[in-house]
Amino acid sequence: MRRIGNAHARATRSGMARVFLTGNLKQLTGGAAEFDIDAHDVRAVLRALVKLHPVLEPHLEEGIAVAIDGEIFQDAWFAEVRADSEVHIMPRIAGG
Amino acid sequence: MAKCHVTTTINGDPVEFLCTTEQTLLDVLRDELQLTGSKEGCASGDCGACSVMLDGRLVCSCLVLGVEVEGHAVETIEGMAQGDHLHPLQQKFLDHAALQCGICTPGFLVAAKALLEKNPDPSETEVRYWLAGNLCRCTGYDKIVRAVLDAAAQMRGA
Amino acid sequence: MSTASETAKLKWVGQRAPRPDGVDKVTGRARFGADISTPGMLLGRVLRSPHPHARIRSIDTSAAEALPGVKAVVTAKDFPDLPSEFVPAGEMMVNYRDISRNVMARDKVLYEGHPVAAVAATNAAVAKRALALIKVDYQVLPHVLDVVKAMQPDAPLLHDDMYTLGVTPVPKKASNVAKRVEFGCGDIAAGFKAADVIVEHTFTTQPVHQGYIEPHACLANFSEDGTADLWCSTQGHFVVRGHCARLLGMDLSSLRVTASEIGGGFGGKTVVYLEPLALALSRKSGKPVKMAMTRDEVFKATGPAPGASVYVKMGTTKDGRITAAQGELRYQAGAFQGAPVQPGAMCAFAPYDLENVQSVGYDVVVNRPKAAAYRAPGGPIAEFAVESVVDEMAKAIGMDPIEFRLENAAREGTRAVYGAKFGPIGLVEGLQAAKAHPHYTAPLGPNQGRGIAAGFWFNIGGESCANINVGEDGTVTLMVGTPDIGGSRASLCQQAAEVLGIELHKIRPLIADTSSLGYTFLTGGSRATFASGMAVIEAADDVVRQMRERAAKVWEIPIEAVTWENGMARPAGSNAGEFEPLSFADIAKLAGKSGGPLVGKAAINAQGAGPSFGVHMVDVELDRGTGKVSVIRYTVIQDAGKAVHPSYVEGQMQGGAVQGIGWALNEEYIYGEDGKLQNAGFLDYRIPVCSDVPMIDTVIIEVPNPSHRYGVRGVGETPIVPPMAAIANAVENASGVRFTALPMSPPRVLKAITGAALPDAAE
């Protein structure tokens, strides 16, 4: 598995956000876990992922949270994603 | 089955009610007399949320039958404040934040009042063991014990 | 963004203000779920399965329906058969088909206590007789209670359409494993190779109940026009509305749900049990229906936290650097899928800055009641295992347990295995505070031991609304949508007062019903003070802006020239004009003439919840004659970001710690071989009582959360995460024995330390 690493500056592809799938989502894409995506907000990122791997659609509709450059967003379609952002798709956070 | 007619005293007032022989005092207080301050947490005498005084003795009202109070005196949480004056225990519970959800609070107040009437200067250990029959799931008991000790001190001093 | 100097000038935030609902709660006036009645109401009762696993061949309710006094009987056929569909509900993703079948069994019963029918009758005695008249023909099936056994290929199967998700290739055979999840980064094989010391254990925990003192209760009132009112004890009345509308086929706007005061929830009242039944009975009978659970029913049929089997393996260098961490978590979901194994797997190793991690989780169904959230769901079990192993590693290399944790602690910028990077967090501060605390170096006596553990919870934000209605006299009503479980009304009023600049007692809070306020997610996930707080602040900002607008109109100056300070509108500097300041009350008085009523509102989806880290220290004393472990000293250190009301923050820390003490030392469900629960009451399901615990000392750390104006972090859940490991570590310190199974109850401890069992002790 590709090393995600800790806190080291990464050179990102110019103009595109780097998107990572965590948890079980990788299995649905046949192991593909990292993508360069041209998108300006969370909704655009999710749509782009679904276009690449339609099997992801129901899983990205509900039950996920998104970390943009480390900050967690839940149910935030229009949270801003910048050209050099690192975006992680992860399971929804819970509580009790 | 025909209901029984019971005459009793509740918080100093003469009260009459009808109940079946199956109904507990807790059922009667809550369902017949609309005194819902005493709570049902378990109906088996394990949680103390239904604590009342019966002739000056601390009991679980879920373990007393409604018909048993004929001719006796019952005190509930509703009788603790005098008009708009809170009892020192009630005030100290507020001051010390000794309640979070508040469901166990009436039972604790009645039980603590019973303790202080018997023992006006209890140690922390004595307070903890006396209140061991009242369950609280929210507070961890710390602030409750502090409130009771503080109220005891105030009542001794006043 | 709040800075230290800004927070230092606060007037209300940070004070131990009087609690708005306090007097009603100390006088017995406050109304909880079972405290209201309405004329003509019926009483509802539920018929529950006596078997842990059985097919329902038939149900005959005719004799019950014919009993005088019975006005309605419902079974599964009174509810639509919902398709399988995952939605966020409560905090976990749930399947509406599962929720519907948990509320009322269809085709099969899957646990002792599973509802099969419900009746509404004119009084309790008639209802009880009616239940006895319902004839259910069961085909009893073999059952399975243990998570490891349930995962075996020959285990009795609960759902014949359950094919494990998250496994490739998709299994051809149905099983009891609903899902497999995996998180990881780096290369654990290389990591373990680089370790000088490796520690691995398998840990076992039992299901524990949230233990709220108030059983579930509600009152439903259906009108012939298809609308209904529902009063219920819940952590989230908007969520209840959503579930009930779906289960009964209603429009959301036709159902108005009012949250009563709630006598404890801890996550267990984020789901529905009685509410859809009461609504269905009320609809069918045309009368209001009141229902309340007995304590027996609460234990048998409401969600506990799962039991689990957890394998953890970690490696460290002899200098104290953790090189690899691996975990496999197998959680019992109960009868339907949805154990919080995913959050458990995500948070297990999160307190540490690790390069090589693999965390795998299994969600497994068994014939027990469906698990529900319990304070940091999934976290305490995982952290019990991880923090026990961390402690052993520290001991193995001869390093102080706090130093070892400091060496590896997550800090701002550390990336967690699930992808998020931590913002400012207070773990290091908490560990340092623990090290400096007198508890850490206090002398210990014979048979005494000390243990430390750390933990955290992610915390959430979520949809939250707030309305502020300004009265003509300058007093205000504040409407929020998060039920008040532990004092949040006070902290929300304080935040409003801070922004508005008026006296706290001029603000009256109200928990609005679902028709009176915009959608607000439930009280849970440690979000009320944070997210409802953000909504309150925004609504208050809205009021302040309107106040400035009115002053500007009255003074005929631009709004930019009006400042707001300490509840007064003032011209900004002498250029703006020489006007006497206008107070909040002054402007409120002229609201009607100057444009209309003053109403502030906010409707947000709060983002940016800050995780709260905690460190617990506990001293125990072991009685070698009985195996009893007594907690003799306990200190909770936790990062609150900003303690809006310190007493209620302390209360959360103390309450969570004591729940953890119960989980560690005594609480467990005891089932017979027959799959039936033997300790469905507070006598034998023993939660900590007053005499079991000492004072719980608290230290509040404040590393502000930049997303919230006052720096607030949720605090409610974190305190239950460290205690079990802290106590296990203390017991190890006192006895030399490492307990990997909970609870560490006297018979088990005695057997382990002496090799002898107490006479007649239960295993």
Side-chain angles (χ1 to χ4, degrees):
Chain A
M1 179 201 317
R2 267 273 312 256
R3 187 164 171 270
I4 295 174
N6 262 329
H8 296 298
R10 292 174 55 84
T12 52
R13 292 14 170 210
S14 63
M16 308 249 247
R18 191 99 179 118
V19 179
F20 299 84
L21 296 181
T22 57
N24 283 10
L25 297 172
K26 292 190 285 265
Q27 295 171 0
L28 296 165
T29 60
E34 297 182 31
F35 306 85
D36 292 313
I37 291 188
D38 184 8
H40 56 285
D41 63 27
V42 168
R43 188 157 172 251
V45 166
L46 299 178
R47 283 175 151 177
L49 283 170
V50 169
K51 219 165 170 196
L52 288 169
H53 294 278
V55 67
L56 285 174
E57 187 167 12
H59 301 272
L60 297 182
E61 225 157 72
E62 298 288 1
I64 53 143
V66 173
I68 304 174
D69 296 319
E71 198 185 335
I72 299 182
F73 293 85
Q74 228 162 229
D75 293 330
W77 271 354
F78 304 116
E80 191 194 355
V81 173
R82 284 183 312 277
D84 57 353
S85 288
E86 216 177 86
V87 178
H88 290 255
I89 315 285
M90 43 194 243
R92 186 182 185 85
I93 306 293
Chain B
M1 93 183 61
K3 291 191 177 178
C4 301
H5 178 268
V6 177
T7 307
T8 184
T9 306
I10 301 192
N11 297 325
D13 296 328
V15 169
E16 294 178 50
F17 58 83
L18 294 176
C19 71
T20 66
T21 51
E22 288 175 330
Q23 282 177 286
T24 63
L25 174 59
L26 181 63
D27 294 333
V28 165
L29 289 171
R30 292 179 55 80
D31 302 333
E32 308 303 333
L33 301 174
Q34 286 74 52
L35 292 168
T36 55
S38 307
K39 309 296 180 191
E40 178 176 314
C42 70
S44 54
D46 299 313
C47 75
C50 67
S51 298
V52 300
M53 302 285 277
L54 181 58
D55 290 343
R57 183 183 157 201
L58 181 64
V59 298
C60 283
S61 58
C62 71
L63 296 180
V64 176
L65 293 176
V67 294
E68 287 187 75
V69 303
E70 168 76 39
H72 291 279
V74 179
E75 293 163 71
T76 72
I77 182 67
E78 286 89 347
M80 199 160 168
Q82 298 300 313
D84 63 353
H85 276 80
L86 295 178
H87 187 281
L89 277 166
Q90 290 170 308
Q91 189 58 53
K92 289 299 180 187
F93 265 57
L94 292 175
D95 296 343
H96 284 268
L99 58 144
Q100 286 179 34
C101 78
I103 192 84
C104 70
T105 306
F108 268 98
L109 286 167
V110 170
K113 180 162 175 265
L115 168 65
L116 298 185
E117 278 164 8
K118 231 174 133 102
N119 178 359
D121 191 3
S123 65
E124 180 189 330
T125 304
E126 286 171 321
V127 170
R128 286 187 179 278
Y129 275 86
W130 182 273
L131 295 177
N134 290 78
L135 299 182
C136 174
R137 195 57 160 169
C138 294
T139 66
Y141 305 105
D142 182 296
K143 293 181 190 296
I144 291 176
V145 173
R146 290 181 201 274
V148 173
L149 290 170
D150 194 10
Q154 182 184 302
M155 286 164 72
R156 286 196 305 275
Chain C
M1 168 74 110
S2 62
T3 63
S5 61
E6 278 172 349
T7 56
K9 287 181 300 190
L10 297 172
K11 185 171 178 195
W12 294 111
V13 168
Q15 301 304 312
R16 297 175 194 261
R19 181 177 169 156
D21 54 324
V23 172
D24 280 355
K25 290 189 170 162
V26 298
T27 55
R29 190 180 289 110
R31 307 249 248 173
F32 292 81
D35 292 341
I36 65 164
S37 297
T38 194
M41 77 182 186
L42 306 174
L43 290 181
R45 292 295 312 275
V46 178
L47 181 68
R48 299 178 181 278
S49 165
H51 305 292
H53 196 194
R55 206 167 296 283
I56 301 173
R57 283 198 276 241
S58 65
I59 306 182
D60 180 359
T61 59
S62 53
E65 289 173 58
L67 185 68
V70 171
K71 301 301 179 188
V73 180
V74 297
T75 63
K77 54 180 174 22
D78 294 281
F79 296 89
D81 191 0
L82 296 177
S84 191
E85 183 191 6
F86 277 94
V87 291
E91 295 80 21
M92 299 172 274
M93 295 297 291
V94 291
N95 183 310
Y96 264 115
R97 189 192 59 174
D98 288 352
I99 298 184
S100 165
R101 284 160 189 240
N102 191 41
V103 160
M104 182 63 83
R106 187 184 290 269
D107 307 330
K108 275 180 100 171
V109 290
L110 294 163
Y111 53 97
E112 183 209 12
H114 199 166
V116 297
V119 307
T122 48
N123 64 53
V126 172
K128 194 172 159 190
R129 273 206 298 283
L131 292 185
L133 291 174
I134 298 176
K135 301 185 198 26
V136 186
D137 183 14
Y138 293 106
Q139 178 199 355
V140 178
L141 300 169
H143 61 271
V144 60
L145 300 178
D146 176 77
V147 68
V148 172
K149 289 198 179 125
M151 291 172 79
Q152 304 312 310
D154 57 345
L157 194 64
L158 274 72
H159 302 279
D160 53 23
D161 61 351
M162 181 170 282
Y163 296 92
T164 311
L165 287 177
V167 171
T168 40
V170 176
K172 292 206 168 44
K173 191 167 168 240
S175 72
N176 293 321
V177 182
K179 190 163 67 175
R180 178 187 187 278
V181 296
E182 180 167 348
F183 299 90
C185 60
D187 179 348
I188 53 167
F192 283 124
K193 253 209 173 103
D196 295 314
V197 168
I198 292 179
V199 175
E200 60 184 318
H201 284 297
T202 299
F203 298 83
T204 312
T205 71
Q206 301 301 318
V208 292
H209 196 270
Q210 297 81 351
Y212 32 84
I213 307 299
E214 179 207 25
H216 301 259
C218 65
L219 196 156
N221 203 344
F222 229 104
S223 164
E224 289 77 2
D225 68 5
T227 64
D229 280 325
L230 177 69
W231 163 277
C232 63
S233 170
T234 178
Q235 293 173 240
H237 43 315
F238 288 85
V239 170
V240 170
R241 180 181 71 168
H243 287 342
C244 288
R246 185 75 70 109
L247 263 55
L248 273 83
M250 294 171 76
D251 292 337
L252 290 173
S253 55
S254 294
L255 176 57
R256 180 173 66 157
V257 185
T258 303
S260 69
E261 296 305 321
I262 171 175
F266 315 108
K269 290 185 180 159
T270 58
V271 290
V272 293
Y273 298 107
L274 297 177
E275 297 78 3
L277 304 181
L279 282 165
L281 287 167
S282 180
R283 183 164 61 181
K284 209 167 180 182
S285 65
K287 295 242 178 293
V289 174
K290 179 172 175 176
M291 297 183 79
M293 284 199 193
T294 62
R295 180 54 53 181
D296 185 85
E297 291 178 292
V298 173
F299 275 113
K300 286 187 174 151
T302 69
S309 166
V310 178
Y311 169 78
V312 169
K313 176 180 176 186
M314 295 174 77
T316 179
T317 64
K318 55 182 173 351
D319 304 314
R321 186 81 198 125
I322 301 176
T323 58
Q326 181 185 10
E328 188 176 294
L329 294 68
R330 298 167 284 254
Y331 282 20
Q332 286 173 5
F336 297 92
Q337 63 183 294
V341 71
Q342 192 149 254
M346 284 162 70
C347 92
F349 301 111
Y352 301 107
D353 180 0
L354 303 175
E355 279 190 11
N356 306 307
V357 182
Q358 185 198 50
S359 203
V360 171
Y362 292 97
D363 180 14
V364 183
V365 295
V366 292
N367 291 112
R368 295 169 178 258
K370 178 174 170 24
Y374 180 17
R375 216 161 186 163
I381 297 168
E383 227 54 55
F384 162 58
V386 171
E387 286 294 287
S388 295
V389 169
V390 166
D391 211 61
E392 286 218 340
M393 287 196 295
K395 193 174 177 188
I397 62 174
M399 198 167 177
D400 171 274
I402 294 185
E403 282 306 324
F404 185 65
R405 288 173 171 86
L406 278 167
E407 179 66 32
N408 294 281
R411 297 156 193 267
E412 181 169 1
T414 300
R415 184 177 304 286
V417 68
Y418 51 88
K421 202 166 52 178
F422 288 120
I425 53 172
L427 175 57
V428 167
E429 287 81 351
L431 289 165
Q432 286 166 343
K435 201 159 149 218
H437 196 283
H439 183 173
Y440 196 54
T441 46
L444 285 167
N447 295 312
Q448 293 182 354
R450 181 165 296 144
I452 306 264
F456 95 118
W457 193 248
F458 320 83
N459 298 335
I460 64 172
E463 295 179 82
S464 313
C465 293
N467 278 3
I468 296 181
N469 298 322
V470 181
E472 319 87 275
D473 61 354
T475 63
V476 147
T477 53
L478 169 63
M479 299 175 67
V480 295
T482 39
D484 183 354
I485 306 189
S488 52
R489 277 180 182 95
S491 62
L492 294 173
C493 285
Q494 286 169 258
Q495 294 179 68
E498 197 71 54
V499 176
L500 297 174
I502 60 177
E503 295 296 300
L504 190 65
H505 70 269
K506 293 200 186 270
I507 304 177
R508 291 279 176 208
L510 191 79
I511 312 296
D513 66 49
T514 58
S515 296
S516 308
L517 190 68
Y519 183 89
T520 301
F521 194 51
L522 49 79
T523 298
S526 308
R527 72 176 218 97
T529 303
F530 168 74
S532 259
M534 281 172 81
V536 164
I537 290 169
E538 191 174 303
D541 283 341
D542 187 14
V543 169
V544 166
R545 184 188 48 77
Q546 291 176 53
M547 290 263 161
R548 288 171 59 227
E549 259 170 16
R550 302 302 172 93
K553 284 203 174 119
V554 164
W555 293 333
E556 295 174 346
I557 62 179
I559 185 178
E560 296 74 30
V562 180
T563 63
W564 185 265
E565 215 181 297
N566 294 327
M568 308 281 275
R570 291 169 202 277
S574 51
N575 286 347
E578 296 292 322
F579 298 108
E580 283 301 302
L582 284 171
S583 72
F584 192 97
D586 292 335
I587 300 174
K589 197 170 170 188
L590 45 86
K593 291 197 265 283
S594 63
L598 290 160
V599 175
K601 77 171 199 18
I604 65 174
N605 192 332
Q607 307 292 336
S612 175
F613 280 84
V615 179
H616 290 209
M617 267 189 295
V618 59
D619 292 349
V620 301
E621 185 174 287
L622 194 48
D623 181 331
R624 290 184 179 272
T626 61
K628 182 173 183 215
V629 173
S630 299
V631 174
I632 55 177
R633 186 169 181 179
Y634 205 108
T635 303
V636 179
I637 299 165
Q638 190 173 333
D639 177 15
K642 175 68 186 172
V644 175
H645 193 309
S647 304
Y648 290 110
V649 172
E650 290 161 358
Q652 293 300 312
M653 293 160 71
Q654 294 167 331
V658 172
Q659 284 182 317
I661 290 172
W663 199 330
L665 293 179
N666 231 341
E667 293 177 42
E668 61 177 319
Y669 280 53
I670 299 174
Y671 280 88
E673 281 303 308
D674 57 3
K676 302 193 186 187
L677 185 59
Q678 296 180 350
N679 63 335
F682 277 133
L683 185 64
D684 296 315
Y685 180 91
R686 192 157 171 316
I687 71 175
V689 305
C690 199
S691 49
D692 287 333
V693 293
M695 295 296 186
I696 311 285
D697 292 327
T698 57
V699 176
I700 298 175
I701 306 249
E702 290 181 327
V703 174
N705 172 11
S707 311
H708 186 283
R709 182 170 306 176
Y710 305 118
V712 167
R713 293 175 194 276
V715 295
E717 291 168 288
T718 297
I720 203 177
V721 179
M724 290 115 78
I727 294 171
N729 293 339
V731 170
E732 197 279 333
N733 189 242
S735 67
V737 176
R738 165 63 56 189
F739 282 88
T740 56
L742 294 183
M744 294 175 279
S745 53
R748 294 205 184 91
V749 171
L750 188 69
K751 186 161 187 226
I753 62 177
T754 64
L758 274 175
D760 303 316
E763 284 303 283

